[in-house]
């Protein structure tokens, strides 16, 4: 298995632009998580899905952030409009329901200028 | 102005020595725990897990100990190698909820 796949790996954009991050979970995993990691706050959960349905989005910073999971093999995290304080590494993880273990993708390093 | 970030606990060990990384968790209802390793520029990588009905679990060169009385988790790495240098996170799972991650401990192995 290729593991959790994220794209792009790096994104540099200007303030005000829309940013879309993509994630492909491990096949057969029914839960998907979006995290943000910064030096200031460490690893923060933004939102997670069970069976493609958003369960808890209380970690989403504000209305500029939105996430979708149209099917079991794809999810997006969108920031519109982006701001410099959104600069961080964004991780996607999927969970094996048999073991509860979360497996992380390589992350997307976002820089908003 | 001065930037303030997370102050990660740090641990430096000589190559070949054993390492012990500690973690205090917050919720007595947590029933499942994982240790992750994160190398620079990479995502957290699963190392070993333990359920609350156990107090010890061993893997290859790693052992996790769970003390539910004091809500403490530790990761022991035997014969530490330079490739073990990374940030180590513990995570706790509360039933019906998601994982909560600690702030991490930075391990540096001195050759």
């Amino acid at each position: 298995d290729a593991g959790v796949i994220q794209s792009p790996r790096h994104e540099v954009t200007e303030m005000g632009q829309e940013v879309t991050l993509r994630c492909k979970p491990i096949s057969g995993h029914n839960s998907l998580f979006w995290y943000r990691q910064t030096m200031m706050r460490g690893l923060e959960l933004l939102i997670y899905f069970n069976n493609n349905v958003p369960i808890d989005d209380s970690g989403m910073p504000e209305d500029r952030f939105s996430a979708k999971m149209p099917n079991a093999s794809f999810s997006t995290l969108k920031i519109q409009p982006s701001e410099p304080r959104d600069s961080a590494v964004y991780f996607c993880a999927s969970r094996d329901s048999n073991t509860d273990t979360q497996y992380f993708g390589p992350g997307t390093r976002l820089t908003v200028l | 102005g001065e930037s303030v970030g997370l102050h990660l606990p740090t641990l430096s060990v000589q190559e070949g020595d054993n390492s012990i990384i500690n973690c205090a968790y917050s919720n007595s209802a947590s029933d499942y725990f994982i240790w992750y390793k994160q190398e620079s520029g990479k995502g957290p990588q699963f190392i070993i897990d333990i359920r609350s009905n156990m107090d010890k679990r061993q893997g290859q060169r790693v052992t996790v100990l769970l003390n539910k009385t004091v809500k403490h988790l530790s990761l022991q790495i035997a014969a530490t190698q330079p490739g073990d240098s990374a940030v180590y996170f513990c995570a706790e799972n509360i039933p019906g909820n998601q994982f909560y991650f600690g702030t991490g401990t930075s391990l540096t192995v001195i050759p």
Side-chain angles (χ1 to χ4, degrees), chain A residues 30-89:
Chain A
N30 65 347
S31 298
L32 183 142
F33 303 77
W34 282 102
Y35 290 89
R36 177 172 67 177
Q37 188 175 43
T38 62
M39 286 298 295
M40 295 289 290
R41 293 197 175 93
L43 199 60
E44 301 174 277
L45 177 67
L46 301 176
I47 185 171
Y48 81 97
F49 297 83
N50 269 356
N51 297 315
N52 314 339
V53 176
I55 302 300
D56 183 355
D57 65 353
S58 59
M60 296 286 261
E62 47 197 271
D63 292 346
R64 298 184 297 106
F65 285 68
S66 62
K68 294 182 179 180
M69 192 165 186
N71 57 63
S73 59
F74 183 66
S75 178
T76 59
L77 177 68
K78 185 177 294 186
I79 308 172
Q80 166 64 16
S82 59
E83 297 182 2
R85 61 191 168 121
D86 301 330
S87 298
V89 181

Side-chain angles (χ1 to χ4, degrees), chain B residues 57-69:
Chain B
R57 189 159 189 227
Q58 287 185 292
Q60 189 176 23
R61 283 203 306 120
V62 293
T63 301
V64 55
L65 299 177
L66 175 62
N67 185 331
K68 295 182 287 295
T69 302

Side-chain angles (χ1 to χ4, degrees), chain B residues 25-74:
Chain B
Y25 63 93
S26 58
N27 196 312
S28 56
S30 296
D31 64 351
Y32 179 57
F33 305 86
I34 299 180
W35 278 101
Y36 285 93
K37 171 187 180 183
Q38 187 175 22
E39 297 174 275
S40 181
K42 297 183 179 179
Q45 177 188 1
F46 172 87
I47 301 174
I48 191 169
D49 59 357
I50 189 169
R51 296 214 171 259
S52 59
N53 60 352
M54 302 172 68
D55 52 22
K56 180 179 180 179
R57 189 159 189 227
Q58 287 185 292
Q60 189 176 23
R61 283 203 306 120
V62 293
T63 301
V64 55
L65 299 177
L66 175 62
N67 185 331
K68 295 182 287 295
T69 302
V70 295
K71 292 188 286 192
H72 183 268
L73 198 65
S74 69

Side-chain angles (χ1 to χ4, degrees), chain B residues 37-40 80-88 107-110:
Chain B
K37 171 187 180 183
Q38 187 175 22
E39 297 174 275
S40 181
T80 315
Q81 303 168 359
D84 295 327
S85 294
V87 175
Y88 290 81
L107 174 67
T108 300
V109 181
I110 304 165

